């Protein structure tokens, strides 16, 4: 989900709530009731203007903009829940590593060890231009910088030994200064003295999430992540992605079971099969559906999709310095599909790895079958057309999840207090 306007366009919305976060806090509580591992707040750092060379459509349709800062929302969601993990997207391009480590450490302490960081390198020139650059660095360079960045923040998180805070009231000692260390990092891109000026948080470092899709991105994700999120094209591609990540993790000396690969899906649920199919049909035939999807894909690739004929295939395989993985899933190069077909089929492949349409029981059964084929680890449920809706998250939490729980596929109660521990349970 994104810290975007509430369901302002539906008859069940409230016309766009004030930006007090209460809608999202309700969402977090609902997901906690259903015992989700975590809720993830995506983020971008610009007002898109790639579609048609103007911000008009993005602003008119509220697609990818506005987006408010995920960090304070993560705190508010975390304070309103007790077990749900809360993950915020923070860009290595935007935050100096010291500030990011300090922010993450602080939130993880506030949330009693339930905070996660979705590591992104940003993907847009427009974002880079908000941080003193003219252009986004090339992908390989972004990942090279991100590798060093992770090295720096990991050193910062470890700069206080776990037992550095002694709280010895009798002797009047708060922290043992011999257990707090400078890091003296001087690398190619970053120079940071340390130590961090926050106490070790319950998880010492937040849980790490990543969504790398390119070979370089997958390597990065396999080396560092506790959880990887991905959009695949069908069950075979889910299995291939997970196998690939596990092989890369092993090659990097990690236990592949310490990484939970979650595949994005957007189930459409109905009281009957026909009801669900009808809802899906209504969603993809809504007047704004196509322009919403195209505005989104334009925003994250900085390619102007307004210039392509909806009823013809794309003229060539498109390349971006932005989210190439997302672009490839969208364009299905070689499939011969028209742009309209790409958009309408499976929400443009942008958000759903497999199509799940049916009753809660039917969809739960199918999810179990898919996971058995893929080998694990789970799904990340995303909101339809990149949009949040109260009705939708209640359908998931009180319809789909109980059907999954009855099959023993998801937990019915939390067993652990921290996000990393909960992640490792399934
Ligand atoms: C489910 C999902 C969520 C993502 N969320 C964000 C986000 O919030 N902000 C962002 O800048 N990029 C986001 N990305 C983009 C990824 O960080 C990454 O750049 C993208 O998957 C392309 O991979 P690559 O960088 O290896 O080419 C997301 C990707 C996926 C699949």
């Amino acid at each position: 989900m994104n810290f975007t306007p509430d369901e302002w366009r539906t008859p069940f919305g409230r016309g766009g709530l004030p930006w007090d976060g209460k809608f999202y806090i309700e969402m977090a509580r609902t997901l906690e009731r259903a015992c989700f591992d975590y809720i993830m707040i995506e983020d971008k750092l610009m007002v898109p203007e790639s579609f048609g060379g103007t911000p008009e459509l993005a602003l008119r349709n509220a697609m990818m903009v506005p987006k408010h800062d995920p960090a304070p929302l993560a705190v508010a969601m975390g304070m309103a829940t007790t077990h749900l993990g809360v993950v915020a997207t923070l860009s290595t391009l935007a935050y100096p590593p010291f500030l990011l480590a300090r922010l993450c450490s602080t939130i993880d302490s506030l949330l009693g060890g339930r905070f996660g960081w979705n590591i992104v390198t940003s993907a847009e020139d427009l974002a880079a231009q908000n941080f003193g650059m003219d252009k986004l660095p090339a992908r390989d360079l972004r990942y090279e910088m991100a590798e060093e960045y992770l090295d720096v923040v990991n050193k910062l998180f470890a700069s206080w030994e776990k037992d550095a805070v002694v709280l010895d009231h009798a002797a009047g000692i708060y922290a043992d200064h011999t257990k707090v260390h400078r890091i003296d990092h001087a690398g190619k891109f970053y120079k940071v003295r340390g130590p961090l000026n926050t106490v070790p948080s319950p998880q010492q470092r937040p849980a790490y999430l990543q969504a790398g899709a390119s070979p370089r991105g997958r390597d990065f994700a396999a080396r560092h992540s506790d959880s990887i999120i991905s959009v695949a094209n069908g069950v075979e591609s889910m299995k291939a992605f997970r196998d690939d990540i596990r092989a890369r993790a092993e090659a990097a000396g990690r236990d592949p079971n310490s990484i939970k690969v979650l595949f994005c899906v957007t189930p459409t649920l109905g009281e009957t099969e026909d009801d669900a199919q009808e809802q899906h049909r209504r969603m993809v035939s809504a007047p704004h559906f196509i322009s919403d999807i195209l505005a989104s894909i334009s925003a994250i690739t900085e390619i102007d999709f307004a210039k392509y004929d909806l009823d013809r295939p794309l003229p060539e395989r498109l390349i971006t310095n932005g989210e190439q993985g997302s672009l490839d899933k969208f364009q299905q190069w070689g499939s011969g599909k028209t742009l309209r077909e790409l958009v309408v089929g499976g929400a443009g492949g942008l958000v759903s790895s497999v199509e799940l349409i049916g009753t809660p029981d039917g969809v739960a059964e199918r999810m179990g079958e898919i996971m058995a084929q893929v080998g694990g680890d789970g799904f990340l449920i995303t909101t339809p057309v990149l949009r949040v809706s109260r009705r939708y998250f209640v359908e998931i939490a009180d319809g789909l999840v109980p059907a999954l729980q009855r099959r023993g596929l998801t937990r019915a109660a939390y067993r652990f207090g921290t996000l990393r521990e909960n992640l490792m349970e399934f």
Side-chain angles (χ1 to χ4, degrees):
M1 45 87 39
N2 292 269
F3 196 178
T4 53
D6 178 14
E7 45 185 333
W8 62 282
R9 209 152 45 174
T10 80
F12 301 101
R14 295 187 182 187
L17 284 173
W19 289 85
D20 58 10
K22 289 195 178 130
F23 175 86
Y24 295 98
I25 291 167
E26 185 185 328
M27 185 175 184
R29 285 195 173 124
T30 305
L31 297 194
E32 180 164 77
R33 178 166 83 229
C35 300
F36 273 70
D37 286 340
Y38 59 79
I39 187 165
M40 201 275 270
I41 316 169
E42 296 185 77
D43 199 29
K44 290 286 174 190
L45 295 163
M46 80 295 181
V47 174
E49 43 184 76
S50 324
F51 189 84
T54 152
E56 183 183 344
L57 188 78
L59 287 165
R60 199 182 67 199
N61 291 13
M63 286 314 289
M64 295 276 175
V65 64
K67 283 196 192 222
H68 281 217
D69 195 311
L73 181 64
V75 174
M77 283 173 161
M79 293 293 208
T81 50
T82 54
H83 286 83
L84 181 72
V86 184
V87 179
T89 298
L90 305 166
S91 170
T92 55
L93 189 84
Y95 282 85
F98 185 90
L99 268 187
L100 180 129
R102 185 168 186 250
L103 179 64
C104 288
S105 165
T106 303
I107 301 180
D108 195 50
S109 281
L110 288 170
L111 270 50
R114 292 184 288 125
F115 186 58
W117 168 32
N118 179 32
I119 308 169
V120 298
T121 58
S122 285
E124 304 83 17
D125 289 340
L126 284 176
Q129 286 159 17
N130 289 330
F131 297 93
M133 288 159 252
D134 294 327
K135 280 184 83 60
L136 186 70
R139 178 176 301 102
D140 278 358
L141 177 58
R142 294 205 302 279
Y143 277 118
E144 190 190 342
M145 293 170 78
E147 284 290 352
E148 190 185 326
Y149 194 106
L150 261 285
D151 183 30
V152 177
V153 296
N154 281 330
K155 287 187 205 159
L156 286 169
F157 289 129
S159 64
W160 288 52
E161 293 177 35
K162 275 199 182 78
D163 56 355
V165 176
V166 290
L167 269 180
D168 182 339
H169 295 278
I173 302 170
Y174 183 82
D176 177 349
H177 74 283
T178 66
K179 295 188 171 177
V180 179
H181 311 285
R182 289 162 54 166
I183 68 163
D184 289 323
H185 177 93
K188 189 167 165 192
F189 305 106
Y190 305 102
K191 193 166 176 216
V192 182
R193 181 185 190 276
L196 211 54
N197 60 347
T198 57
V199 302
S201 70
Q203 297 187 107
Q204 191 102 10
R205 65 162 177 83
Y208 291 157
L209 255 74
Q210 227 275 328
S214 61
R216 189 70 203 256
R218 291 179 186 205
D219 261 340
F220 179 84
R223 250 199 303 280
H224 299 288
S225 309
D226 298 300
S227 181
I228 294 176
I229 50 179
S230 169
V231 183
N233 267 337
V235 182
E236 282 307 309
S237 116
M238 290 166 73
K239 181 165 170 34
F241 180 84
R242 182 169 180 269
D243 289 349
D244 180 60
I245 289 290
R246 291 173 71 82
R248 286 175 199 266
E250 267 192 287
R254 284 189 72 188
D255 172 5
N257 294 324
S258 66
I259 306 176
K260 299 297 169 178
V261 180
L262 306 190
F263 291 97
C264 295
V265 284
T266 311
T268 304
L269 301 171
E271 291 183 18
T272 62
E273 189 72 32
D274 285 350
D275 178 31
Q277 291 290 351
E278 170 57 20
Q279 275 194 51
H280 183 75
R281 195 199 56 73
R282 272 208 311 274
M283 177 180 84
V284 299
S285 58
H288 51 78
F289 182 81
I290 288 178
S291 60
D292 278 355
I293 294 286
L294 291 181
S296 308
I297 193 85
S298 285
I300 63 176
T301 59
E302 300 201 309
I303 292 170
D304 180 7
F305 278 86
K307 67 183 185 207
Y308 298 118
D309 188 337
L310 267 175
D311 293 306
R312 297 175 74 91
L314 292 166
E316 60 193 338
R317 179 175 177 255
L318 303 174
I319 302 287
T320 176
N321 184 29
E323 293 191 28
Q324 184 68 40
S326 313
L327 177 59
D328 283 337
K329 267 147 217 159
F330 174 74
Q331 66 182 334
Q332 297 176 44
W333 181 242
S335 69
K337 292 183 185 170
T338 65
L339 183 54
R340 189 188 303 279
E341 287 164 346
L342 292 176
V343 172
V344 172
L350 200 58
V351 288
S352 208
S353 304
V354 278
E355 198 171 76
L356 293 170
I357 304 173
T359 60
D361 257 321
V363 170
E365 187 68 23
R366 180 84 189 107
M367 288 170 85
E369 288 164 7
I370 292 170
M371 268 303 127
Q373 282 171 268
V374 171
D377 300 290
F379 294 99
L380 179 78
I381 294 182
T382 58
T383 45
V385 206
L386 315 177
R387 202 172 286 291
V388 286
S389 131
R390 181 178 279 109
R391 219 163 98 156
Y392 188 67
F393 60 69
V394 169
E395 282 174 6
I396 296 293
D398 298 330
L400 180 61
V401 171
L404 290 165
Q405 288 168 337
R406 283 196 293 278
R407 290 166 171 77
L409 296 172
T410 59
R411 69 170 69 80
Y414 290 102
R415 288 182 52 210
F416 302 103
T418 67
L419 171 52
R420 248 199 317 273
E421 286 172 303
N422 280 324
L423 263 178
M424 291 311 134
E425 189 186 356
F426 269 87

